[in-house]
Amino acid sequence: MQANYGAILSLVIALGLIVGSLLIAVGWRGRRVSDHPHCRPCKFDLHGSMDTNGLAPESCPECGCSLRSGRRVQQGLRRKRPALLSVGLAVLLLGVGAIGVQAYVGSRNVSLNPYKPVWLLRYEAGRHGTATSVAALDELIARHHAGRLAQPAIDLLVAEGMQLQADMTATWEPRWGELVEYAREQGQVNDADWERYMATAVTVSLALEVRPRVRIGEPIYTWTVSRRSRLSDSDRRWWARMTTQSFEVDGIVDPKSLRDRGSSGTSIRGRSGRGRTGTYEDFNRDVWGELEPGTHEAARTVAIELFEMDANNGRKIEPAFLTVEHRLTDTFELTDESTVAAVVNDEHRQAVRDALKIESIEFETNGWPGFDFQIELDHPPVGLAFDVFIVADDGTEAKIGSLDEGANDSTHLSTGHNQRELTWNDPVVRVVFRPSAERAMRTADVFEYWGEEVVFEDVPVKLPEPSPAEEASP
């Protein structure tokens, strides 16, 4: 029920005023107790005093008033109904009082939620996606934290929150997650319900994304994406470790995908979802060689181990408290034509260059030597897929990273490339963005990419500070 709560209250008040007024009118008119003619002033029954023509006497035998002038004779007699008058007056007064309360609440912005019973708040909280629902949940949460909710009410609220969490067609309100998670902290949610709540949260937050177009015989690039979970908006996080159990296309499992290839992980939280882990499957012609061009379904089955995160140091707490198996699916188009194309034209040349802004390059020697490369990308007119190199004056070059982004993307990138044996001494270099079809194929959205090198001259490189021993050496 999505109607405005204030409008419903106004309608109820209006109905109350109408009903009260009708009851008063009916009660005042009364019910008929006689159909004889009566003297209007004294109500004397004139039935026996009427002549043969049905005319009343000159005067009332009871009070003596003239019956021939004005409307002194009334046909029938009614008696007021005190009960209806009392009920109607009470209903009318309640309606008038409700109008006054509504006007006061509206003018002073007073919330009535603190005075509402739990059953009414639960009803309002169930009107998902409305401001009324949010306000009711805020009040229920406040009572919960204050210890003013009985366990039966908590059980009902937890059940309703979990039912909403599992309904993917319903809008998720993180306040429901706050209710469930706080109840768990207070020992008011059993292990089975908690595991079901977390299993739903982790499985609905993960999705499989497959490169939309794949050429027959080329690797199938996939990403496991972590979206915003159906949890509370708190800072609390959980860690999901995912291990691939199998990969299939149209239900045909690649036996090679059953081998142990390690695992990947992502943070699970309600406030945001930004994890993205990429991998690929070699196109197994022995398994999928008969597949025709067209739309196909890919599926990756993963075993998910869920860990709590230590709020103090951010590390996962071993062992996993929950393990679930989940099947992720997506569709893609299989084609016998190339899925990437290099484009070069005069119209876009300067715009591509302007979209690349090198912020810094730093050569680091901590651990394996390598480069920390910071770049700002601002709405390139076409997709970009580059391997990035720096070139010294003597022609020596070193790869410092890669870049692949779709057309019109705007982002800040930090990338790098480490090598076991790498030295670098030049503080000013030439930076070369070299097009790479392979980088384009590894993306979900780059099908056309800039096919010409972009070169920046005289770019500074920050070198490590020399140690005292190096400074002292001749």
Side-chain angles (χ1 to χ4, degrees):
M1 186 178 184
Q2 300 298 325
N4 181 270
Y5 182 77
I8 294 177
L9 181 60
S10 298
L11 178 61
V12 171
I13 291 174
L15 288 175
L17 294 176
I18 293 172
V19 171
S21 300
L22 287 175
L23 289 175
I24 291 175
V26 172
W28 184 263
R29 188 166 187 265
R31 61 185 177 88
R32 184 183 293 273
V33 294
S34 172
D35 58 0
H36 294 172
H38 288 76
C39 171
R40 190 178 297 277
C42 70
K43 310 303 181 188
F44 180 73
D45 189 344
L46 300 174
H47 180 67
S49 303
M50 308 292 285
D51 63 17
T52 56
N53 295 322
L55 297 176
E58 291 287 338
S59 61
C60 175
E62 178 67 21
C63 66
C65 72
S66 174
L67 298 178
R68 297 296 176 92
S69 62
R71 299 178 59 194
R72 297 295 179 88
V73 178
Q74 71 176 48
Q75 195 66 32
L77 186 65
R78 291 180 176 275
R79 184 172 296 162
K80 292 181 174 56
R81 306 174 73 172
L84 279 182
L85 284 171
S86 300
V87 172
L89 183 61
V91 172
L92 187 64
L93 290 175
L94 284 174
V96 172
I99 292 175
V101 171
Q102 187 183 41
Y104 174 80
V105 169
S107 63
R108 299 296 182 90
N109 198 25
V110 177
S111 173
L112 297 179
N113 283 346
Y115 310 101
K116 294 177 182 177
V118 172
W119 66 264
L120 180 56
L121 290 171
R122 280 185 49 229
Y123 166 75
E124 293 179 344
R127 297 170 58 199
H128 309 305
T130 65
T132 299
S133 174
V134 172
L137 285 169
D138 283 339
E139 176 61 26
L140 288 168
I141 289 170
R143 294 189 192 185
H144 195 188
H145 283 253
R148 294 190 290 116
L149 283 182
Q151 187 61 45
I154 294 171
D155 292 341
L156 288 172
L157 288 168
V158 168
E160 290 173 18
M162 293 178 62
Q163 182 178 4
L164 175 65
Q165 184 203 35
D167 182 2
M168 295 299 104
T169 64
T171 301
W172 172 249
E173 170 51 57
R175 287 171 175 82
W176 282 107
E178 186 174 342
L179 272 167
V180 175
E181 291 164 29
Y182 182 75
R184 173 63 179 181
E185 292 176 7
Q186 302 303 306
Q188 298 164 330
V189 176
N190 61 46
D191 290 345
D193 284 344
W194 178 247
E195 290 178 3
R196 182 158 55 92
Y197 172 78
M198 290 306 303
T200 300
V202 69
T203 53
V204 302
S205 71
L206 297 177
L208 181 69
E209 185 177 348
V210 181
R211 180 168 168 82
R213 295 203 299 274
V214 177
R215 188 175 187 176
I216 294 174
E218 292 181 346
I220 304 174
Y221 287 94
T222 68
W223 296 264
T224 302
V225 182
S226 173
R227 304 170 296 193
R228 183 171 181 172
S229 303
R230 293 167 82 92
L231 295 166
S232 74
D233 262 348
S234 69
D235 290 328
R236 190 175 180 187
R237 294 182 301 143
W238 290 267
W239 183 258
R241 183 165 64 197
M242 297 169 290
T243 305
T244 297
Q245 303 296 295
S246 65
F247 181 81
E248 60 192 72
V249 176
D250 291 349
I252 306 173
V253 177
D254 178 9
K256 293 181 180 179
S257 69
L258 303 178
R259 66 184 186 275
D260 183 10
R261 294 178 297 175
S263 60
S264 61
T266 185
S267 178
I268 302 296
R269 61 190 306 180
R271 178 167 295 179
S272 62
R274 48 182 175 233
R276 185 180 177 87
T277 303
T279 185
Y280 68 92
E281 301 291 335
D282 288 326
F283 192 94
N284 192 332
R285 290 187 177 275
D286 293 336
V287 177
W288 302 315
E290 301 300 321
L291 293 178
E292 297 290 334
T295 301
H296 299 272
E297 181 185 73
R300 184 181 299 281
T301 301
V302 295
I304 306 171
E305 298 173 279
L306 201 59
F307 301 83
E308 291 190 35
M309 300 292 287
D310 192 319
N312 296 319
N313 56 31
R315 297 176 181 174
K316 64 179 182 291
I317 301 174
E318 299 276 2
F321 70 90
L322 175 66
T323 300
V324 294
E325 190 170 274
H326 188 49
R327 189 172 183 266
L328 306 168
T329 63
D330 193 18
T331 58
F332 68 99
E333 180 187 354
L334 197 61
T335 177
D336 52 10
E337 299 177 351
S338 176
T339 62
V340 295
V343 295
V344 176
N345 57 61
D346 294 336
E347 178 186 358
H348 290 153
R349 183 172 286 108
Q350 187 60 46
V352 169
R353 184 179 182 86
D354 292 343
L356 298 167
K357 180 181 178 182
I358 301 171
E359 295 185 334
S360 66
I361 303 175
E362 183 176 358
F363 181 63
E364 298 177 335
T365 55
N366 296 329
W368 281 12
F371 293 92
D372 179 24
F373 177 47
Q374 306 285 332
I375 184 171
E376 182 180 343
L377 183 66
D378 186 17
H379 299 90
V382 296
L384 303 181
F386 293 122
D387 286 327
V388 188
F389 297 84
I390 59 174
V391 183
D393 287 341
D394 62 2
T396 302
E397 69 176 31
K399 184 176 180 179
I400 61 173
S402 298
L403 182 155
D404 44 66
E405 294 291 334
N408 294 311
D409 280 354
S410 179
T411 187
H412 179 90
L413 297 171
S414 177
T415 184
H417 191 75
N418 297 80
Q419 299 181 30
R420 186 184 297 273
E421 297 178 1
L422 177 64
T423 59
W424 195 267
N425 299 311
D426 288 4
V428 179
V429 298
R430 182 166 74 254
V431 179
V432 180
F433 291 83
R434 191 166 296 159
S436 170
E438 182 182 357
R439 296 302 311 179
M441 284 195 303
R442 295 185 179 187
T443 69
D445 57 355
V446 177
F447 301 97
E448 287 189 343
Y449 66 98
W450 185 248
E452 187 176 76
E453 287 188 353
V454 180
V455 180
F456 291 86
E457 302 286 350
D458 300 326
V459 179
V461 176
K462 183 179 179 181
L463 300 175
E465 295 292 336
S467 65
E470 290 174 330
E471 290 182 337
S473 62

